[in-house]
Amino acid sequence: MSVEDTPQPESRRSLIDVLVVVGALAASLALVWVLTRDPVLSAVFGGAMFVFAGLSFVLSRRGGEVASPDFAQPDWSVTVAAIERLDVAVAITDRAGRLTCANTVFETQFGVASAPPMLALDVPSQERLAQATRMALRDGQAACDVAAEAPAGLGPSLWTAQLRRAGRGDDFLIWTFTPQSAPDLVRGFVQHLEGGLGRGLARAGIAAALVEPDGTIQATSALFAEQAAGDPEASLAGSDFIELLARDEDDTISWAHSEGHGEPMVLYAVPVADPDTPDPLDETTTPSLMLAVPASQGIGARANGSGASPHLEALLAQLPLGLAMADRDGRLLFANSAFMRAAGREGEDAPTYPTDLVVREDKRALSEAIRRFAQGPSSAGDIAVRLSAQAEDPVSLSLAGVRGLGDAAVLLGLTDTSEETRLKRQVAQATKMQAVGQLAGGVAHDFNNVLTAILGTCDLMLMRHTPGDSDYDDIQQIRANSNRAASLTRQLLAFSRQQTLRPEVLQLPDVVADVAQMLRRLIGEKIELVVKHDRDLGPVRADPTQLEQVIVNLCVNARDAMQGRGDGSGKLTLSTRKVLTSDARTSRSEIIPAGDYTALIVEDTGGGIPPEVIGKIFEPFFTTKEQGKGTGLGLSTVYGIVKQSGGFIFAESEPGKGTRFVVYLPVYHPAPGAQVEADAPEVQAEAEPSQWAGGGRILLVEDEVTVRIIAERALLRQGYEVTCAEDGEDGLAKVEDVIAAGGGFDLVVSDVVMPSLDGPGMAREIRAIVPGMPVLFMSGYAEEQLRKEIGLANAWFMPKPFSVQQLSEKVGEVLARTAK
């Protein structure tokens, strides 16, 4: 392409302009003479006009000189000649996206019907090229990889596109497409054929040679050299492959040196080229791997006519991948054990058709896919099907058309996803349990505020009503039901791992012995209780009270399961076992980290748990009991206590054969140099404070109005001077006001979770003003968890819900300690 522009001569335009100006001056001078008849005035006017005309002529000449270009117009034919290269495709477009010029390689590979980036590419390549165009116009240059289909139909090719902005006004883009080269597979095949690959094929009775398209041998395996030349050390490189073969009148192929007495064989040709490489497959230049297999072992030689090679079957059977072969009619010729296991038919014989493995709705789609891959060109793809053994989870079945394997036309691949599915379900269950735990903890915390107000109101009313009063029994009933609700919230906090634990270093057999007598009374006389302990059990660190609750809840559930069937008799086995690191690594569940554990096992002979239910048993409020029997919080509480103690719990059950719960608690290993705890709490109890009766000034900070009113009334009745604040910011402001007035507070009683500024944040701000100010936190969360998150010294905790008496006693205890 080229563009030529011819400018108009400047001299011709200047002459016309002069003649026009002279004519105008003459007409103007004649008009003045006719009107005035004054020679002096006419002479002055004529001279002025002459001077004006001269200046105009000079300026017009200068302007023309400035406007004239200093360079010649571009000749695009020179640009085309400059970009003409044989190794890359080059094109130039203007800012409007029009193709200005391109070299021959670009026209051959991409055509000139459209300019880049609007080329015949796949969708991802078009998106990458459009993004690179924007970057080049903005930054000056860009690059990306694209895949294009050659117009001649030679196959897909990969290119690296480089864009560069150019031109005096940066109005052009120069596009350079460089082809990506494919790896040299031939050289690698030569090395493998003369090494391990050749020896591996020889074990299967397959002789192999790498042959050029013209029939020249490049390399051979030792078995090929032995069969073709009688010497495994013979070098056949450069020999003619055809001359080594002989063919009789029945078109039977054998080795030429056997002179017709050798065993017939079958030849298979496999092109040595990667079909996914950007370079197209060219049969005139691509070598082939020739496989010589005895006819008695080749494809189609089986007595049952299935059409699969025993050697190929033996090879596929050893692979861990699920592989099968089907013929053009859709019959299944062979399927290895991994394929049948992935299809949910482990240990069964392969069916007649692959469609027998899927549900009825997917049979037609799979049959059409097998027929398409069997009859069309060699290609590969995937299809989503639902196996009849697991119809709820679709799987991906890979299909690949194969050629040169006799009756086998389609290779099917299926991956065993049972383990992956199991892990996905475990992760989903763990995620759900975590979400439910957070919800349960939040509900329990908010409900504790309500219960605190109810219990506090009951306590204040009981102070005005004595036993025998008409309202006394009703108030006591309200208080008793509130305490029952408080116990439910404590179970929810245990499930969400937000309860307060008092961990000790202990032995599991000791805990079991403490509750054994109570368990015998709980389970009844018809159920036999068997207790067994392993030797050399490692100590664990847990709350003994909470562990007793775990054992009791598991045993009560086992009792109910055994009483629900037959005459209510059964056997309950409670045992402890030592679990070493090696045992943990080989455990059925891969969730348990490697380490030493002490296991608590509770096993019953009840009716078992259905498989569809066992994944939900640890969820709160889930129960299989009749309505009105059980709260559904027993196992959820057990789950929370075990998890908060750093352990793991698993349920194993089979309907009709009982249930087995296993609790793994990590063995406690004290830090080097630390003293081993001896059945004592981690933090030694402080000395019992004396009874406080000195009063004091208290700042009460609580965002719940009902809780704040009850706490204020309770403290006022004890003689304290109470100042209330509705949140953290209000409490901080009241401290600042009191300090400014010369006063102060003896104790801050505050909730932990509040809007805007929470309790710990307010406490830090207050201690910046009054260092060492004692703080009593009220919270429904675990004390241990709060201490880790808050990190404040000289701070006390009081769990919700609490009574008026508990609040008064705790405030007096804190003031007594801080007054020392």
Side-chain angles (χ1 to χ4, degrees):
M1 288 179 216
S2 63
V3 179
E4 297 287 348
D5 291 333
T6 305
Q8 296 290 335
E10 293 292 335
S11 59
R12 184 176 180 181
R13 288 202 297 266
S14 300
L15 179 59
I16 295 174
D17 294 341
V18 171
L19 292 177
V20 172
V21 172
V22 171
L25 290 177
S28 300
L29 183 59
L31 180 61
V32 172
W33 173 257
V34 170
L35 294 175
T36 62
R37 295 296 181 175
D38 187 349
V40 178
L41 180 60
S42 300
V44 172
F45 179 76
M49 295 301 293
F50 178 77
V51 173
F52 174 74
L55 291 174
S56 299
F57 178 75
V58 172
L59 292 176
S60 63
R61 294 292 294 177
R62 291 184 177 180
E65 293 175 0
V66 173
S68 62
D70 294 335
F71 46 84
Q73 293 296 321
D75 185 355
W76 291 107
S77 62
V78 177
T79 306
V80 173
I83 64 176
E84 190 63 41
R85 296 175 57 181
L86 299 178
D87 56 339
V88 295
V90 182
I92 301 177
T93 58
D94 59 12
R95 183 170 287 274
R98 296 171 297 190
L99 187 63
T100 302
C101 63
N103 65 359
T104 304
V105 177
F106 183 88
E107 295 180 7
T108 302
Q109 295 291 334
F110 303 101
V112 294
S114 58
M118 305 304 295
L119 300 177
L121 307 172
D122 54 19
V123 176
S125 297
Q126 289 180 350
E127 294 177 353
R128 289 193 297 270
L129 204 58
Q131 183 179 4
T133 303
R134 293 190 293 268
M135 293 179 60
L137 291 174
R138 183 191 64 191
D139 302 333
Q141 59 183 4
C144 67
D145 292 336
V146 296
E149 182 76 18
L154 297 179
S157 55
L158 296 178
W159 301 78
T160 298
Q162 294 179 328
L163 292 73
R164 182 166 54 89
R165 196 174 59 197
R168 290 188 298 273
D170 289 335
D171 293 332
F172 296 92
L173 282 179
I174 301 177
W175 305 73
T176 303
F177 295 86
T178 305
Q180 298 181 5
S181 59
D184 187 4
L185 295 180
V186 176
R187 180 178 301 176
F189 256 91
V190 170
Q191 297 175 353
H192 293 299
L193 191 60
E194 295 176 348
L197 177 61
R199 293 190 297 271
L201 293 174
R203 292 192 186 97
I206 301 174
L210 189 63
V211 183
E212 292 285 354
D214 60 359
T216 304
I217 297 177
Q218 276 200 10
T220 64
S221 65
L223 180 60
F224 186 94
E226 181 180 3
Q227 293 181 351
D231 183 6
E233 302 294 334
S235 177
L236 299 178
S239 304
D240 191 347
F241 179 76
I242 301 299
E243 293 181 356
L244 299 176
L245 305 176
R247 176 180 296 180
D248 58 14
E249 55 187 15
D250 296 329
D251 288 337
T252 300
I253 300 175
S254 60
W255 297 110
H257 81 93
S258 64
E259 297 180 355
H261 300 291
E263 182 180 2
M265 63 182 177
V266 180
L267 294 178
Y268 304 103
V270 181
V272 182
D274 187 352
D276 296 329
T277 57
D279 292 340
L281 182 62
D282 188 354
E283 297 181 355
T284 62
T285 59
T286 302
S288 297
L289 180 64
M290 304 300 296
L291 303 177
V293 182
S296 60
Q297 302 174 358
I299 300 295
R302 292 182 60 177
N304 58 8
S306 65
S309 168
H311 289 80
L312 191 56
E313 281 190 16
L315 179 63
L316 297 181
Q318 299 301 321
L319 295 177
L321 306 176
L323 297 173
M325 292 185 295
D327 61 12
R328 290 173 176 80
D329 297 328
R331 293 186 179 87
L332 199 60
L333 303 178
F334 166 77
N336 63 5
S337 57
F339 185 91
M340 297 303 297
R341 181 170 57 253
R345 304 287 186 89
E346 186 175 6
E348 300 181 13
D349 295 333
T352 305
Y353 295 94
T355 53
D356 296 338
L357 300 173
V358 301
V359 298
R360 181 173 57 84
E361 294 80 5
D362 294 344
K363 290 181 181 293
R364 182 175 179 180
L366 178 58
S367 178
E368 292 178 351
I370 293 176
R371 187 179 301 108
R372 184 173 63 254
F373 281 96
Q375 298 176 357
S378 298
S379 59
D382 297 320
I383 181 174
V385 295
R386 289 166 296 173
L387 299 172
S388 57
Q390 47 186 34
E392 68 280 0
D393 296 323
V395 298
S396 178
L397 179 66
S398 302
L399 299 97
V402 295
R403 302 297 179 263
L405 295 181
D407 293 340
V410 180
L411 182 67
L412 298 92
L414 187 62
T415 303
D416 184 7
T417 60
S418 58
E419 184 68 14
E420 180 181 355
T421 302
R422 184 183 68 84
L423 292 177
K424 284 183 179 179
R425 288 177 178 173
Q426 286 183 349
V427 172
Q429 179 69 10
T431 304
K432 181 174 67 175
M433 295 293 283
Q434 182 180 7
V436 173
Q438 292 176 349
L439 175 62
V443 170
H445 178 265
D446 294 339
F447 195 53
N448 276 335
N449 286 328
V450 179
L451 292 176
T452 301
I454 295 174
L455 289 172
T457 304
C458 291
D459 290 340
L460 293 176
M461 294 177 66
L462 288 174
M463 293 179 182
R464 300 192 301 270
H465 295 76
T466 59
D469 196 328
S470 59
D471 295 332
Y472 184 83
D473 292 338
D474 295 336
I475 299 173
Q476 286 286 19
Q477 187 67 28
I478 295 173
R479 195 174 190 281
N481 289 326
S482 299
N483 285 325
R484 287 182 59 192
S487 66
L488 292 179
T489 59
R490 282 193 293 271
Q491 288 181 303
L492 286 176
L493 289 173
F495 168 74
S496 59
R497 310 174 215 176
Q498 296 173 1
Q499 65 172 343
T500 300
L501 295 181
R502 302 296 180 185
E504 301 178 12
V505 178
L506 46 82
Q507 290 285 346
L508 271 182
D510 297 338
V511 180
V512 174
D514 291 341
V515 298
Q517 295 300 324
M518 179 179 62
L519 290 178
R520 287 187 170 88
R521 292 193 300 270
L522 284 175
I523 63 178
E525 297 179 355
K526 291 186 177 182
I527 299 177
E528 179 187 1
L529 177 62
V530 178
V531 179
K532 298 185 295 184
H533 298 297
D534 203 352
R535 294 185 178 182
D536 300 328
L537 294 175
V540 299
R541 187 173 182 271
D543 188 330
T545 305
Q546 300 296 334
L547 276 186
E548 291 178 0
Q549 184 177 355
V550 168
I551 298 173
V552 170
N553 285 356
L554 292 178
C555 292
V556 168
N557 277 354
R559 177 203 64 187
D560 295 341
M562 289 183 285
Q563 289 181 348
R565 57 177 307 191
D567 58 354
S569 62
K571 180 180 180 180
L572 176 62
T573 304
L574 189 61
S575 60
T576 56
R577 185 165 59 89
K578 182 179 182 181
V579 181
L580 300 178
T581 301
S582 56
D583 298 331
R585 288 176 178 174
T586 58
S587 176
R588 289 179 56 187
S589 176
E590 298 180 4
I591 297 178
I592 305 178
D596 295 333
Y597 295 88
T598 297
L600 172 67
I601 304 172
V602 179
E603 189 171 3
D604 63 65
T605 58
I609 304 175
E612 64 274 10
V613 174
I614 196 168
K616 304 178 182 179
I617 58 176
F618 293 117
E619 297 178 8
F621 305 113
F622 178 84
T623 179
T624 57
K625 300 178 182 178
E626 299 177 3
Q627 187 174 2
K629 294 183 178 180
T631 62
L633 290 174
L635 289 180
S636 64
T637 303
V638 169
Y639 178 86
I641 294 173
V642 172
K643 286 295 184 180
Q644 195 171 0
S645 302
F648 304 88
I649 181 171
F650 301 98
E652 302 173 359
S653 180
E654 186 175 350
K657 295 186 178 180
T659 305
R660 184 171 184 258
F661 285 91
V662 183
V663 177
Y664 294 92
L665 294 176
V667 173
Y668 175 73
H669 297 286
Q675 295 182 355
V676 180
E677 305 175 29
D679 299 334
E682 179 184 11
V683 180
Q684 294 183 356
E686 300 182 22
E688 188 68 24
S690 59
Q691 187 67 29
W692 178 257
R697 292 161 298 180
I698 298 175
L699 174 63
L700 176 63
V701 186
E702 172 61 62
D703 60 320
E704 289 286 340
V705 179
T706 55
V707 178
R708 185 170 66 245
I709 293 175
I710 295 299
E712 180 184 10
R713 292 178 60 184
L715 294 176
L716 288 174
R717 292 180 65 90
Q718 297 296 322
Y720 297 108
E721 181 182 346
V722 183
T723 301
C724 294
E726 60 184 12
D727 54 32
E729 292 183 348
D730 188 21
L732 180 61
K734 284 182 168 50
V735 171
E736 293 175 347
D737 294 342
V738 171
I739 296 299
F745 294 104
D746 299 314
L747 176 65
V748 176
V749 180
S750 172
D751 191 15
V752 175
V753 181
M754 293 184 294
S756 185
L757 184 63
D758 61 3
M762 179 198 66
R764 294 187 183 93
E765 297 291 338
I766 292 177
R767 288 187 174 181
I769 303 173
V770 184
M773 171 66 72
V775 180
L776 173 61
F777 286 113
M778 305 177 294
S779 177
Y781 292 104
E783 176 181 343
E784 184 179 358
Q785 178 184 0
L786 289 176
R787 286 194 181 276
K788 292 179 180 179
E789 295 180 358
I790 297 173
L792 289 176
N794 198 25
W796 287 262
F797 295 87
M798 181 170 56
K800 292 180 180 179
F802 50 79
S803 63
V804 170
Q805 182 179 359
Q806 289 173 336
L807 175 62
S808 302
E809 291 177 353
K810 190 66 176 179
V811 170
E813 176 187 343
V814 173
L815 289 175
R817 293 185 187 279
T818 57
K820 292 182 180 180

